[in-house]
Amino acid sequence: DAMVIQNPRYQVTQFGKPVTLSCSQTLNHNVMYWYQQKSSQAPKLLFHYYDKDFNNEADTPDNFQSRRPNTSFCFLDIRSPGLGDAAMYLCATSGRQGMNTEAFFGQGTRLTVV
Amino acid sequence: SQKIEQNSEALNIQEGKTATLTCNYTNYSPAYLQWYRQDPGRGPVFLLLIRENEKEKRKERLKVTFDTTLKQSLFHITASQPADSATYLCALQRNFNKFYFGSGTKLNVKP
């Protein structure tokens, strides 16, 4: 089945040690997103790509970076994780730029910072 | 900036009853409003979409209404079942493909 796959499901990293989260999709969607979700909170949009065009949210910390080497893959890099970066990170895709499309989410990566 | 409000208190209802969840927003009206279901430790799953010029949308036991004057959407699940227990998120979409989510309301359906 076509889907959005995130690896790993659980990631433990040390305070200040760079970490990369991965997302792949078989939907051939143009748009890919990264969201951060803390317990009982709304998923918070960090950034999104339309094809290779990168769109950063104004309040996304510089500590968070992203790469999209091709249509299928997108990576979230956290350069120096702090305790406050512990969260569920959700990758999502949607079909085309414009409206009337839903978002397809992966299962998420639960990041723990020790 | 846009603020999206959903009742943070869990909604507890008896099986077979209708669950009604609320999503309120401030500032501009979105072009589209969507509802998602999220189970613990999982990513959200799309349920329904409604456009700003639509009043109501239905899909099986689900119904969504959208009132741009009140800046409110209501999400109804009729004949609720324990399997409907989950957190339900609303999402607003206005510019390009950006989705902004509420924090969700947890629904507990008791047998």
Side-chain angles (χ1 to χ4, degrees), chain A residues 70-91:
Chain A
N70 54 51
T71 300
S72 300
F73 287 88
C74 196
F75 300 98
L76 171 63
D77 301 307
I78 308 177
R79 295 193 295 188
S80 181
L83 297 178
D85 296 327
M88 174 77 90
Y89 289 88
L90 296 164
C91 173

PDB file of all heavy atoms in Angstrom, chain A residues 70-91:
ATOM      1  N   ASN A  70      15.048  14.161  -2.835  1.00  0.00           N
ATOM      2  CA  ASN A  70      14.224  13.764  -3.981  1.00  0.00           C
ATOM      3  C   ASN A  70      12.763  13.736  -3.542  1.00  0.00           C
ATOM      4  O   ASN A  70      12.456  14.019  -2.372  1.00  0.00           O
ATOM      5  CB  ASN A  70      14.671  12.406  -4.543  1.00  0.00           C
ATOM      6  CG  ASN A  70      14.711  11.327  -3.475  1.00  0.00           C
ATOM      7  OD1 ASN A  70      13.749  11.130  -2.748  1.00  0.00           O
ATOM      8  ND2 ASN A  70      15.844  10.629  -3.381  1.00  0.00           N
ATOM      9  N   THR A  71      11.868  13.396  -4.458  1.00  0.00           N
ATOM     10  CA  THR A  71      10.440  13.416  -4.160  1.00  0.00           C
ATOM     11  C   THR A  71      10.080  12.509  -3.002  1.00  0.00           C
ATOM     12  O   THR A  71       9.187  12.804  -2.216  1.00  0.00           O
ATOM     13  CB  THR A  71       9.638  13.000  -5.415  1.00  0.00           C
ATOM     14  OG1 THR A  71       9.913  13.911  -6.459  1.00  0.00           O
ATOM     15  CG2 THR A  71       8.139  12.988  -5.146  1.00  0.00           C
ATOM     16  N   SER A  72      10.762  11.386  -2.899  1.00  0.00           N
ATOM     17  CA  SER A  72      10.337  10.351  -1.956  1.00  0.00           C
ATOM     18  C   SER A  72      10.824  10.548  -0.528  1.00  0.00           C
ATOM     19  O   SER A  72      10.222  10.019   0.394  1.00  0.00           O
ATOM     20  CB  SER A  72      10.829   8.982  -2.445  1.00  0.00           C
ATOM     21  OG  SER A  72      10.306   8.693  -3.719  1.00  0.00           O
ATOM     22  N   PHE A  73      11.921  11.240  -0.352  1.00  0.00           N
ATOM     23  CA  PHE A  73      12.544  11.294   0.971  1.00  0.00           C
ATOM     24  C   PHE A  73      12.624  12.716   1.513  1.00  0.00           C
ATOM     25  O   PHE A  73      12.847  13.667   0.772  1.00  0.00           O
ATOM     26  CB  PHE A  73      13.966  10.717   0.916  1.00  0.00           C
ATOM     27  CG  PHE A  73      14.006   9.232   0.768  1.00  0.00           C
ATOM     28  CD1 PHE A  73      13.985   8.660  -0.503  1.00  0.00           C
ATOM     29  CD2 PHE A  73      14.037   8.403   1.879  1.00  0.00           C
ATOM     30  CE1 PHE A  73      13.998   7.290  -0.652  1.00  0.00           C
ATOM     31  CE2 PHE A  73      14.057   7.030   1.724  1.00  0.00           C
ATOM     32  CZ  PHE A  73      14.042   6.470   0.460  1.00  0.00           C
ATOM     33  N   CYS A  74      12.481  12.790   2.854  1.00  0.00           N
ATOM     34  CA  CYS A  74      12.653  14.070   3.529  1.00  0.00           C
ATOM     35  C   CYS A  74      13.251  13.786   4.902  1.00  0.00           C
ATOM     36  O   CYS A  74      12.888  12.778   5.547  1.00  0.00           O
ATOM     37  CB  CYS A  74      11.308  14.787   3.675  1.00  0.00           C
ATOM     38  SG  CYS A  74      11.428  16.538   4.068  1.00  0.00           S
ATOM     39  N   PHE A  75      14.187  14.656   5.327  1.00  0.00           N
ATOM     40  CA  PHE A  75      14.877  14.435   6.590  1.00  0.00           C
ATOM     41  C   PHE A  75      14.708  15.650   7.494  1.00  0.00           C
ATOM     42  O   PHE A  75      14.654  16.789   7.010  1.00  0.00           O
ATOM     43  CB  PHE A  75      16.372  14.192   6.345  1.00  0.00           C
ATOM     44  CG  PHE A  75      16.647  13.001   5.476  1.00  0.00           C
ATOM     45  CD1 PHE A  75      16.887  13.160   4.112  1.00  0.00           C
ATOM     46  CD2 PHE A  75      16.667  11.723   6.020  1.00  0.00           C
ATOM     47  CE1 PHE A  75      17.135  12.060   3.300  1.00  0.00           C
ATOM     48  CE2 PHE A  75      16.915  10.623   5.210  1.00  0.00           C
ATOM     49  CZ  PHE A  75      17.147  10.789   3.857  1.00  0.00           C
ATOM     50  N   LEU A  76      14.616  15.377   8.776  1.00  0.00           N
ATOM     51  CA  LEU A  76      14.607  16.433   9.789  1.00  0.00           C
ATOM     52  C   LEU A  76      15.894  16.299  10.588  1.00  0.00           C
ATOM     53  O   LEU A  76      16.151  15.246  11.175  1.00  0.00           O
ATOM     54  CB  LEU A  76      13.393  16.276  10.699  1.00  0.00           C
ATOM     55  CG  LEU A  76      13.343  17.168  11.948  1.00  0.00           C
ATOM     56  CD1 LEU A  76      13.290  18.644  11.556  1.00  0.00           C
ATOM     57  CD2 LEU A  76      12.119  16.822  12.805  1.00  0.00           C
ATOM     58  N   ASP A  77      16.691  17.362  10.596  1.00  0.00           N
ATOM     59  CA  ASP A  77      17.931  17.390  11.357  1.00  0.00           C
ATOM     60  C   ASP A  77      17.756  18.322  12.546  1.00  0.00           C
ATOM     61  O   ASP A  77      17.374  19.475  12.376  1.00  0.00           O
ATOM     62  CB  ASP A  77      19.093  17.905  10.486  1.00  0.00           C
ATOM     63  CG  ASP A  77      19.324  17.055   9.256  1.00  0.00           C
ATOM     64  OD1 ASP A  77      19.474  15.831   9.411  1.00  0.00           O
ATOM     65  OD2 ASP A  77      19.363  17.618   8.142  1.00  0.00           O
ATOM     66  N   ILE A  78      18.079  17.801  13.723  1.00  0.00           N
ATOM     67  CA  ILE A  78      18.105  18.646  14.915  1.00  0.00           C
ATOM     68  C   ILE A  78      19.565  18.776  15.314  1.00  0.00           C
ATOM     69  O   ILE A  78      20.201  17.783  15.697  1.00  0.00           O
ATOM     70  CB  ILE A  78      17.251  18.058  16.056  1.00  0.00           C
ATOM     71  CG1 ILE A  78      15.846  17.738  15.542  1.00  0.00           C
ATOM     72  CG2 ILE A  78      17.174  19.062  17.219  1.00  0.00           C
ATOM     73  CD1 ILE A  78      14.936  17.075  16.582  1.00  0.00           C
ATOM     74  N   ARG A  79      20.107  19.974  15.178  1.00  0.00           N
ATOM     75  CA  ARG A  79      21.551  20.150  15.265  1.00  0.00           C
ATOM     76  C   ARG A  79      22.077  19.963  16.683  1.00  0.00           C
ATOM     77  O   ARG A  79      23.131  19.372  16.900  1.00  0.00           O
ATOM     78  CB  ARG A  79      21.943  21.517  14.732  1.00  0.00           C
ATOM     79  CG  ARG A  79      21.654  21.662  13.248  1.00  0.00           C
ATOM     80  CD  ARG A  79      22.313  22.859  12.640  1.00  0.00           C
ATOM     81  NE  ARG A  79      21.791  24.105  13.191  1.00  0.00           N
ATOM     82  CZ  ARG A  79      22.092  25.299  12.717  1.00  0.00           C
ATOM     83  NH1 ARG A  79      22.908  25.423  11.703  1.00  0.00           N
ATOM     84  NH2 ARG A  79      21.583  26.370  13.262  1.00  0.00           N
ATOM     85  N   SER A  80      21.355  20.464  17.660  1.00  0.00           N
ATOM     86  CA  SER A  80      21.791  20.364  19.057  1.00  0.00           C
ATOM     87  C   SER A  80      20.555  20.188  19.925  1.00  0.00           C
ATOM     88  O   SER A  80      20.009  21.166  20.465  1.00  0.00           O
ATOM     89  CB  SER A  80      22.567  21.626  19.463  1.00  0.00           C
ATOM     90  OG  SER A  80      23.006  21.525  20.811  1.00  0.00           O
ATOM     91  N   PRO A  81      20.091  18.946  20.026  1.00  0.00           N
ATOM     92  CA  PRO A  81      18.813  18.727  20.740  1.00  0.00           C
ATOM     93  C   PRO A  81      18.891  19.128  22.204  1.00  0.00           C
ATOM     94  O   PRO A  81      19.870  18.826  22.900  1.00  0.00           O
ATOM     95  CB  PRO A  81      18.588  17.211  20.606  1.00  0.00           C
ATOM     96  CG  PRO A  81      19.479  16.776  19.493  1.00  0.00           C
ATOM     97  CD  PRO A  81      20.647  17.713  19.486  1.00  0.00           C
ATOM     98  N   GLY A  82      17.857  19.823  22.631  1.00  0.00           N
ATOM     99  CA  GLY A  82      17.713  20.147  24.040  1.00  0.00           C
ATOM    100  C   GLY A  82      16.585  19.334  24.634  1.00  0.00           C
ATOM    101  O   GLY A  82      15.836  18.666  23.913  1.00  0.00           O
ATOM    102  N   LEU A  83      16.460  19.385  25.952  1.00  0.00           N
ATOM    103  CA  LEU A  83      15.410  18.610  26.619  1.00  0.00           C
ATOM    104  C   LEU A  83      14.028  19.021  26.122  1.00  0.00           C
ATOM    105  O   LEU A  83      13.111  18.199  26.043  1.00  0.00           O
ATOM    106  CB  LEU A  83      15.513  18.785  28.134  1.00  0.00           C
ATOM    107  CG  LEU A  83      16.813  18.276  28.778  1.00  0.00           C
ATOM    108  CD1 LEU A  83      16.800  18.553  30.272  1.00  0.00           C
ATOM    109  CD2 LEU A  83      17.033  16.802  28.502  1.00  0.00           C
ATOM    110  N   GLY A  84      13.888  20.279  25.753  1.00  0.00           N
ATOM    111  CA  GLY A  84      12.609  20.778  25.263  1.00  0.00           C
ATOM    112  C   GLY A  84      12.246  20.306  23.874  1.00  0.00           C
ATOM    113  O   GLY A  84      11.119  20.537  23.419  1.00  0.00           O
ATOM    114  N   ASP A  85      13.159  19.632  23.202  1.00  0.00           N
ATOM    115  CA  ASP A  85      12.892  19.111  21.855  1.00  0.00           C
ATOM    116  C   ASP A  85      12.331  17.696  21.893  1.00  0.00           C
ATOM    117  O   ASP A  85      12.008  17.131  20.838  1.00  0.00           O
ATOM    118  CB  ASP A  85      14.168  19.144  21.013  1.00  0.00           C
ATOM    119  CG  ASP A  85      14.665  20.558  20.787  1.00  0.00           C
ATOM    120  OD1 ASP A  85      13.829  21.486  20.695  1.00  0.00           O
ATOM    121  OD2 ASP A  85      15.890  20.742  20.724  1.00  0.00           O
ATOM    122  N   ALA A  86      12.229  17.133  23.082  1.00  0.00           N
ATOM    123  CA  ALA A  86      11.612  15.811  23.206  1.00  0.00           C
ATOM    124  C   ALA A  86      10.146  15.915  22.816  1.00  0.00           C
ATOM    125  O   ALA A  86       9.403  16.755  23.352  1.00  0.00           O
ATOM    126  CB  ALA A  86      11.745  15.298  24.625  1.00  0.00           C
ATOM    127  N   ALA A  87       9.728  15.104  21.855  1.00  0.00           N
ATOM    128  CA  ALA A  87       8.378  15.216  21.297  1.00  0.00           C
ATOM    129  C   ALA A  87       8.174  14.080  20.311  1.00  0.00           C
ATOM    130  O   ALA A  87       9.079  13.315  20.001  1.00  0.00           O
ATOM    131  CB  ALA A  87       8.191  16.557  20.579  1.00  0.00           C
ATOM    132  N   MET A  88       6.947  14.025  19.775  1.00  0.00           N
ATOM    133  CA  MET A  88       6.660  13.180  18.618  1.00  0.00           C
ATOM    134  C   MET A  88       6.847  14.049  17.386  1.00  0.00           C
ATOM    135  O   MET A  88       6.331  15.171  17.328  1.00  0.00           O
ATOM    136  CB  MET A  88       5.218  12.674  18.685  1.00  0.00           C
ATOM    137  CG  MET A  88       4.777  11.917  17.456  1.00  0.00           C
ATOM    138  SD  MET A  88       5.435  10.252  17.399  1.00  0.00           S
ATOM    139  CE  MET A  88       4.114   9.399  18.275  1.00  0.00           C
ATOM    140  N   TYR A  89       7.596  13.546  16.420  1.00  0.00           N
ATOM    141  CA  TYR A  89       7.800  14.265  15.168  1.00  0.00           C
ATOM    142  C   TYR A  89       7.038  13.537  14.064  1.00  0.00           C
ATOM    143  O   TYR A  89       7.236  12.342  13.834  1.00  0.00           O
ATOM    144  CB  TYR A  89       9.286  14.402  14.851  1.00  0.00           C
ATOM    145  CG  TYR A  89       9.929  15.383  15.805  1.00  0.00           C
ATOM    146  CD1 TYR A  89      10.444  14.955  17.023  1.00  0.00           C
ATOM    147  CD2 TYR A  89       9.964  16.749  15.507  1.00  0.00           C
ATOM    148  CE1 TYR A  89      10.992  15.859  17.932  1.00  0.00           C
ATOM    149  CE2 TYR A  89      10.506  17.653  16.406  1.00  0.00           C
ATOM    150  CZ  TYR A  89      11.003  17.201  17.614  1.00  0.00           C
ATOM    151  OH  TYR A  89      11.532  18.101  18.519  1.00  0.00           O
ATOM    152  N   LEU A  90       6.165  14.287  13.417  1.00  0.00           N
ATOM    153  CA  LEU A  90       5.269  13.717  12.414  1.00  0.00           C
ATOM    154  C   LEU A  90       5.633  14.242  11.034  1.00  0.00           C
ATOM    155  O   LEU A  90       5.775  15.449  10.832  1.00  0.00           O
ATOM    156  CB  LEU A  90       3.818  14.094  12.721  1.00  0.00           C
ATOM    157  CG  LEU A  90       3.244  13.545  14.023  1.00  0.00           C
ATOM    158  CD1 LEU A  90       1.973  14.294  14.405  1.00  0.00           C
ATOM    159  CD2 LEU A  90       2.959  12.054  13.883  1.00  0.00           C
ATOM    160  N   CYS A  91       5.764  13.328  10.100  1.00  0.00           N
ATOM    161  CA  CYS A  91       5.951  13.673   8.704  1.00  0.00           C
ATOM    162  C   CYS A  91       4.614  13.476   7.991  1.00  0.00           C
ATOM    163  O   CYS A  91       3.873  12.530   8.303  1.00  0.00           O
ATOM    164  CB  CYS A  91       7.021  12.778   8.099  1.00  0.00           C
ATOM    165  SG  CYS A  91       7.243  12.943   6.322  1.00  0.00           S
TER     166      CYS A  91
END
